[in-house]
Amino acid sequence: MRTRILLTLLASASWLSAALVPIHLRCEYLENPVAVETTLPRLSWEVTSAARGQSQTAYRVLVASSARKLAQDIGDLWDSGKVASGRTSQIEYRGQALRSRQEAYWKVKVWDKDDQPSAWSQPAQWTMALLEPSDWQAEWITFNQKAPFHTNRAELYLPPARYYRREFVPAKPVRRALWRATALGIYELQVNGRKVGDAYFTPGWTDYRQRVYYQTYDVTHLLKPGPNALGAIVAEGWYSGYLAYGLLVGLGPHKTGRDIYGRTPALMAQLELEYRDGSREIVPTDGSWKTTSLGPEREADILMGEVYDARLEMPGWSRAGFDDRQWEPVLPAAIYSHQMAPFFDNEGRVRMMDFGFIRPAKLEAYPAPPVRVTQEIKPLRITSPTNNVYIFNLGQNFAGIVRLKVKGPAGTKITLRYGEMLYPDGRLMTENLRKARATDTYILKGDPKGEVWSPRFTFHGFQYVEVTGLPGKPEPDTITGLVLHSDVPLKSSFQCSDPVINRLFQNIVWTQRANFLELPTDCPQRDEREGWMGDAQIYARSATYNADVAAFYSKWLREVVEAQFDYGPYPDYCPYPFMVGRGGVATGWTDAGIIVPYTVWKVYGDTRLIDRMWPSMTRFMQWRRKVAKDYLGIAHPDGNGYGDWLNLNEPTPLDYLDTIYFGYTTRLMAEMAAALGRSEEAADYQDLFQKIRKAFTTKYVKPDGTFTVDTQTAYATAIYSGVLPEELREKAGARLAQKIKERDHRMATGFLGTQPLLPALTASGHHDLAVRLFQSRRFPSWGFEVEQGATTIWERWDSYTKEFGFNGAAGNQNASMNSFAHYAFGAVCEWMFVTLAGVDTARDGFRQLVLKPHPPTPGSNPENPPISWVKVAYDSINGPIKVHWQRNSGVFDYAVTLPANTTATLYLPASRLEAVFEDGKPLAKARGVKILGFENQRAILELGSGSYRFTSLVTP
């Protein structure tokens, strides 16, 4: 009997592990969001199973108006019924019309390949945002702005943060309380003395005249019966603080680089109380609030830093009963309309503009993950280059702030300066910060128990912290690094036989984390931090492997559309604060408005995004057609000639690059038009692409297959973009390889040429050379940076060298133009996953995969042992993918795990089909494997989901 029971239990456990289980439910890419803007939200989930070849054949979604109804399987908002479909993402809600503040509780069950249903998933939920302007009762409030416009570029103007408060008493027992808040500036909220949420720099950076976001917080647990208090702190942020390089070059009002969008920050918020009896009450910002500038944040600038005087703290200021008689009444923000000043823009023009309160045209719920502290870093060592000056080396370059822990007399002033590097004598290197002061100051209140402080309205890019003014010698916990970035989930890992490459991968991820802060910036440390479009489009595909950036990019692309020039092209960076009206454009930068949304669609299957952007992208392509000459690109007469930025003395003409990008964006538009069912437009773009190809070949390709533009970047971009016809790829690749060998096996490419270089070499039959470049330790190379001590990707290959310091290998570098956290050259990560590891999507959304590993030939690299094994993991929108390949002499081992509900075409290196085995069995006996053929020394196999282990004989 016991044996029979055991066998029954084992059989049951086996069935359960093989069953299809829906997990990881999300709405609009987010888990349980509390403010969904769209009335047709998209739902997604993953399915998991231990069995091979398991797939979803149908699903049923239930959406209920309450958790109780959902538990009773009542979908009063939407019951999709059983839908025959394998889709698990981009599932559009099709139920009852949703209203503002609507709570929706949902779950899903799925049917597997044998039409067996799963159990219901765990429940998830979302709450609708405010959908109508009338839903807002709050007013924009501000303070009595007595200071005149700042006009002196020689002096910094850094006003204190403003504090706001009011008290209220809930009329009845509260079921749920949601607090919605936004600001022209950046804000932090408190309720009854406790901070609300863990986000930084809310509401985020937008073109505030066109759009501002708000956040929604569930603060039910912070309220109590009787008197309650609401509090907010508002700093200038991107709205009116120092912004980018405005001060450096004299942009903005009075050339001061600040007050770019307006000169007086403002707050708008409303607390929405739902009582247990179903009634509601709103506590809005209005004339009943009070404000003061007497708080401890004496300076609070997102670029320059923060000064905090702890002696001025106001204990209990956000608690009921606080004595606020010294505080001022707030003013309606509209009182500061029509504040005129001369605005100086990028083109050297000046015009009178209004920098008073301008109500944003759109107010929308924030649609992406917020900026959060995601990690703490302890110092590796503490040094003292001079008396009473201490340098904390955190061992890793990153973006963020610090936590200071200190004890000392009241009035003691501690200054913290930040830098990415040190001079040889141990001093902090700050030249590359330019006008960014990047300095925080803390003034002690004299607490005998000690004091702990972190700035809240600024961030820095740094590895080293210089601390002066400590009342004694530092302790190991005096400084702790707090890593800040948009909290996009990290999704991948990469390891291989080369430890330098393993460090490179870490550097790439760290650089992405440092720059994916609110928008994809160029660098986090100096006076820039803008959404540079060239960097963004180069790196977009790499970004999708390292993190789930669907919501992050979708949010930023709204700012891209809003920054678009009225005549069609996109600006160099978005948002675009220093230009009003017509501006110059840059080839390869402006094209990000097509390439980034294409990438999001390709990786996440997001057709709604490209449909939303279609009018904007169409305007861009109309401009491209209009300025083209005989289907060829041009060197734009009013453009910014960045070209192949930071190439190594091998520039590529702008008209050539413009032709490449004209063709490339046209090809991508054809694909996206087809995905949207716009068949006529798809045909039109495909026809245009062929005409561009023909014009390109006629002008630039010589009879022997070489180009009239003979640069590494010219060949790499032509091959990668597809503008070069396939039949000419081999000859072009041969010339590209020859040019690299002529430079002693070194690159000469810049931003536009480096990203496609290794893919072009592999695609044209020179993979071993690609791997050799990839593994090189010689200047210029990724390994060179690593061996110089890099912990992130540098803007320039020789931003620092052990031999020449900050002067560069050629002795001609500009130390003030050296970012040590610049992800553009980290775009090689795309090749690492797509080509070297061999993990790609065949169609949009990673449902159908292409697995095509590219091991280098043993002995092919005289400088370093060629990579002999690679192990990667990537958590796609359909679940985790794992690949581990290893090449030994004559044998190729390949292990792969595919998530349920996916299939893959595997191109496995092998000398012949009969020499391939799966788990020790011949292919004909391998379960879940279909033989498609054999070609070019590869067995071509179709795999269902599950885990597989292949071995094959290969040519030694």
Side-chain angles (χ1 to χ4, degrees):
M1 178 64 70
R2 290 180 179 177
T3 302
R4 183 177 300 173
I5 293 174
L6 179 60
L7 290 174
T8 301
L9 290 173
L10 288 174
S12 175
S14 175
W15 180 86
L16 287 173
S17 65
L20 209 55
V21 180
I23 60 171
H24 196 196
L25 276 61
R26 295 188 297 169
C27 175
E28 289 296 315
Y29 298 115
L30 304 174
E31 295 184 5
N32 301 323
V34 292
V36 173
E37 189 77 31
T38 175
T39 56
L40 297 175
R42 293 164 298 171
L43 309 178
S44 67
W45 57 88
E46 297 173 16
V47 288
T48 183
S49 170
R52 283 188 181 180
Q54 189 57 277
S55 61
Q56 173 187 300
T57 57
Y59 66 81
R60 182 186 176 193
V61 173
L62 282 186
V63 184
S65 58
S66 69
R68 179 180 57 82
K69 289 182 178 180
L70 187 70
Q72 296 172 348
D73 297 342
I74 300 173
D76 59 322
L77 293 179
W78 185 38
D79 182 346
S80 71
K82 184 178 179 181
V83 179
S85 173
R87 293 178 59 195
T88 59
S89 64
Q90 315 298 340
I91 308 297
E92 191 172 89
Y93 171 84
R94 290 292 186 181
Q96 298 288 327
L98 297 171
R99 63 184 187 277
S100 295
R101 307 180 181 91
Q102 173 79 60
E103 292 179 63
Y105 299 82
W106 71 286
K107 60 185 178 181
V108 62
K109 71 162 51 178
V110 298
W111 281 260
D112 69 7
K113 64 177 182 177
D114 299 315
D115 201 33
Q116 294 297 311
S118 71
W120 286 108
S121 69
Q122 291 295 310
Q125 69 180 96
W126 80 84
T127 304
M128 295 302 295
L130 302 184
L131 304 179
E132 302 295 337
S134 59
D135 292 324
W136 283 92
Q137 296 183 19
E139 302 174 13
W140 284 100
I141 59 173
T142 189
F143 57 93
N144 185 7
Q145 173 66 273
K146 299 177 181 178
F149 257 110
H150 181 61
T151 61
N152 185 357
R153 287 184 63 197
E155 295 181 3
L156 293 179
Y157 173 62
L158 300 167
R162 300 291 309 197
Y163 280 60
Y164 295 83
R165 73 180 306 274
R166 79 157 280 180
E167 296 185 15
F168 73 99
V169 177
K172 307 171 187 177
V174 175
R175 187 189 83 84
R176 194 182 193 196
L178 297 181
W179 199 3
R180 308 183 198 271
T182 185
L184 300 178
I186 53 179
Y187 71 84
E188 178 186 295
L189 303 180
Q190 294 192 16
V191 173
N192 293 329
R194 295 176 62 184
K195 183 178 182 294
V196 174
D198 56 1
Y200 283 72
F201 315 131
T202 48
W205 183 7
T206 57
D207 182 341
Y208 298 94
R209 301 181 179 209
Q210 297 193 63
R211 177 196 308 270
V212 70
Y213 291 114
Y214 68 89
Q215 282 75 26
T216 300
Y217 308 90
D218 190 328
V219 295
T220 311
H221 63 292
L222 298 178
L223 299 185
K224 61 181 182 179
N228 288 259
L230 305 176
I233 311 171
V234 180
E236 295 190 304
W238 296 281
Y239 177 74
S240 56
Y242 284 94
L243 191 61
Y245 54 74
L247 178 60
L248 178 72
V249 298
L251 303 177
H254 300 288
K255 298 186 177 182
T256 58
R258 55 167 293 116
D259 300 324
I260 303 302
Y261 297 100
R263 64 183 299 258
T264 307
L267 171 72
M268 187 170 78
Q270 63 184 40
L271 176 67
E272 302 177 356
L273 302 172
E274 181 188 343
Y275 295 121
R276 292 178 186 171
D277 64 4
S279 62
R280 295 178 180 270
E281 182 183 359
I282 291 180
V283 182
T285 48
D286 55 20
S288 66
W289 287 63
K290 301 184 79 173
T291 182
T292 186
S293 64
L294 301 179
E297 291 91 355
R298 305 316 303 155
E299 298 175 3
D301 189 87
I302 200 162
L303 183 63
M304 300 301 175
E306 194 167 316
V307 174
Y308 188 95
D309 189 341
R311 298 171 300 179
L312 301 178
E313 289 178 346
M314 301 174 290
W317 71 271
S318 62
R319 294 183 183 275
F322 176 77
D323 184 358
D324 61 7
R325 286 175 293 179
Q326 300 300 315
W327 289 38
E328 314 161 14
V330 299
L331 296 176
I335 200 171
Y336 291 119
S337 300
H338 308 301
Q339 303 278 304
M340 307 303 291
F343 181 86
F344 295 79
D345 70 15
N346 274 336
E347 303 267 309
R349 296 172 298 188
V350 59
R351 72 202 74 186
M352 294 300 294
M353 291 182 58
D354 186 358
F355 295 93
F357 173 76
I358 298 175
R359 183 180 294 273
K362 298 177 183 177
L363 176 61
E364 296 182 354
Y366 192 79
V371 175
R372 292 190 176 103
V373 172
T374 62
Q375 187 175 343
E376 296 189 0
I377 301 180
K378 303 295 184 183
L380 290 182
R381 63 186 64 89
I382 305 171
T383 57
S384 181
T386 58
N387 288 338
N388 300 318
V389 175
Y390 297 95
I391 302 285
F392 290 76
N393 179 1
L394 296 168
Q396 174 62 55
N397 198 12
F398 65 98
I401 52 178
V402 299
R403 181 171 61 237
L404 172 68
K405 186 176 182 181
V406 65
K407 183 188 297 186
T412 302
K413 181 179 178 180
I414 298 176
T415 302
L416 303 98
R417 295 200 307 149
Y418 302 84
E420 296 180 291
M421 298 290 284
L422 300 180
Y423 291 114
D425 62 3
R427 292 179 299 116
L428 191 70
M429 189 273 196
T430 59
E431 286 178 80
N432 68 329
L433 301 181
R434 299 190 309 210
K435 291 293 185 180
R437 188 183 65 175
T439 301
D440 297 327
T441 301
Y442 181 76
I443 301 172
L444 275 67
K445 59 187 173 185
D447 189 334
K449 297 180 181 179
E451 302 171 40
V452 179
W453 172 77
S454 292
R456 292 178 287 184
F457 302 108
T458 190
F459 73 93
H460 313 287
F462 64 101
Q463 178 175 333
Y464 301 91
V465 187
E466 177 198 87
V467 182
T468 58
L470 286 173
K473 289 188 176 181
E475 300 291 336
D477 63 348
T478 298
I479 291 291
T480 301
L482 305 179
V483 179
L484 281 171
H485 57 83
S486 293
D487 194 12
V488 293
L490 299 179
K491 289 293 183 177
S492 67
S493 63
F494 181 99
Q495 294 176 294
C496 71
S497 58
D498 188 336
V500 169
I501 298 302
N502 294 336
R503 179 65 239 190
L504 168 66
F505 176 72
Q506 295 178 45
N507 291 2
I508 292 171
V509 175
W510 272 107
T511 310
Q512 179 170 329
R513 294 172 72 184
N515 282 288
F516 276 40
L517 194 154
E518 180 58 24
L519 59 146
T521 62
D522 55 329
C523 55
Q525 74 297 101
R526 68 184 180 218
D527 55 351
E528 204 152 350
R529 300 173 168 187
E530 293 175 305
W532 279 95
M533 298 277 277
D535 307 52
Q537 65 91 358
I538 291 163
Y539 187 76
R541 188 64 197 279
S542 294
T544 64
Y545 277 107
N546 292 330
D548 179 356
V549 292
F552 175 83
Y553 273 141
S554 296
K555 179 265 176 192
W556 175 63
L557 286 169
R558 299 186 189 193
E559 280 73 74
V560 170
V561 170
E562 290 174 346
Q564 185 176 19
F565 296 130
D566 56 7
Y567 65 106
Y570 300 97
D572 293 345
Y573 43 83
C574 301
Y576 198 52
F578 299 127
M579 177 62 65
V580 179
R582 191 179 182 92
V585 299
T587 294
W589 273 251
T590 189
D591 302 278
I594 305 298
I595 297 168
V596 177
Y598 170 86
T599 303
V600 174
W601 163 68
K602 194 73 173 177
V603 172
Y604 302 104
D606 192 339
T607 53
R608 182 181 289 184
L609 173 68
I610 57 176
D611 185 60
R612 186 187 85 199
M613 290 193 65
W614 197 253
S616 171
M617 294 192 293
T618 300
R619 289 196 302 273
F620 173 83
M621 294 307 298
Q622 289 169 343
W623 166 78
R624 269 236 171 264
R625 291 184 198 237
K626 182 178 179 180
V627 300
K629 302 296 183 182
D630 300 322
Y631 302 108
L632 294 168
I634 64 170
H636 298 278
D638 60 348
N640 296 318
Y642 308 131
D644 191 25
W645 182 248
L646 298 183
N647 68 87
L648 294 159
N649 301 314
E650 195 178 274
T652 303
L654 287 174
D655 57 345
Y656 179 94
L657 291 170
D658 204 56
T659 301
I660 293 292
Y661 275 96
F662 183 26
Y664 186 43
T665 53
T666 299
R667 179 170 70 81
L668 302 189
M669 288 293 285
E671 287 189 46
M672 289 187 285
L676 293 176
R678 298 175 177 267
S679 55
E680 291 185 8
E681 290 173 90
D684 176 56
Y685 281 120
Q686 186 59 39
D687 178 66
L688 176 60
F689 175 64
Q690 294 303 329
K691 290 175 179 175
I692 297 168
R693 257 188 165 185
K694 183 178 179 181
F696 170 83
T697 304
T698 300
K699 180 172 182 178
Y700 292 113
V701 182
K702 296 189 288 188
D704 64 356
T706 61
F707 294 178
T708 57
V709 176
D710 193 40
T711 67
Q712 292 183 19
T713 289
Y715 292 100
T717 54
I719 294 170
Y720 178 87
S721 66
V723 174
L724 182 71
E726 287 86 349
E727 62 270 19
L728 300 176
R729 182 184 296 171
E730 186 175 335
K731 289 182 178 180
R735 177 55 184 158
L736 173 59
Q738 181 184 355
K739 287 189 66 60
I740 293 169
K741 293 172 184 176
E742 288 172 353
R743 292 183 69 104
D744 194 20
H745 295 87
R746 303 186 194 208
M747 298 180 288
T749 49
F751 273 24
L752 299 186
T754 301
Q755 178 257 343
L757 180 62
L758 302 192
L761 285 169
T762 299
S764 59
H766 302 278
H767 181 63
D768 286 341
L769 177 57
V771 177
R772 180 173 178 177
L773 289 178
F774 180 57
Q775 290 188 262
S776 176
R777 274 66 155 159
R778 296 185 298 152
F779 171 79
S781 69
W782 296 276
F784 177 81
E785 286 186 358
V786 171
E787 294 203 332
Q788 303 309 305
T791 64
T792 39
I793 300 298
W794 296 347
E795 182 178 16
R796 300 163 188 264
W797 296 113
D798 56 350
S799 286
Y800 172 83
T801 69
K802 294 177 180 178
E803 183 177 2
F804 300 107
F806 301 106
N807 294 320
N812 61 350
Q813 290 290 30
N814 176 2
S816 67
M817 191 60 182
N818 266 336
S819 162
F820 292 92
H822 229 86
Y823 57 61
F825 286 135
V828 71
C829 190
E830 173 187 349
W831 176 87
M832 293 164 66
F833 278 88
V834 171
T835 305
L836 187 63
V839 178
D840 200 3
T841 182
R843 297 179 57 190
D844 58 293
F846 275 89
R847 276 285 308 281
Q848 299 174 7
L849 310 182
V850 175
L851 303 174
K852 196 172 185 179
H854 284 79
T857 305
S860 59
N861 187 346
E863 299 178 44
N864 300 286
I867 291 171
S868 59
W869 62 266
V870 167
K871 185 177 183 180
V872 303
Y874 168 55
D875 193 358
S876 74
I877 192 170
N878 285 299
I881 302 163
K882 298 179 181 179
V883 165
H884 183 190
W885 64 253
Q886 182 167 355
R887 179 167 183 165
N888 298 312
S889 180
V891 177
F892 187 75
D893 287 311
Y894 184 83
V896 62
T897 298
L898 302 176
N901 207 39
T902 65
T903 60
T905 302
L906 170 62
Y907 297 81
L908 187 72
S911 59
R912 61 188 190 279
L913 198 56
E914 295 76 16
V916 180
F917 299 87
E918 196 282 312
D919 198 23
K921 305 183 188 71
L923 286 179
K925 296 183 179 181
R927 185 168 47 88
V929 179
K930 181 179 180 181
I931 301 172
L932 300 181
F934 186 85
E935 187 177 322
N936 297 325
Q937 296 296 295
R938 289 179 181 270
I940 306 174
L941 311 173
E942 183 180 287
L943 309 180
S945 63
S947 296
Y948 301 83
R949 177 71 181 269
F950 294 93
T951 57
S952 62
L953 299 180
V954 293
T955 303

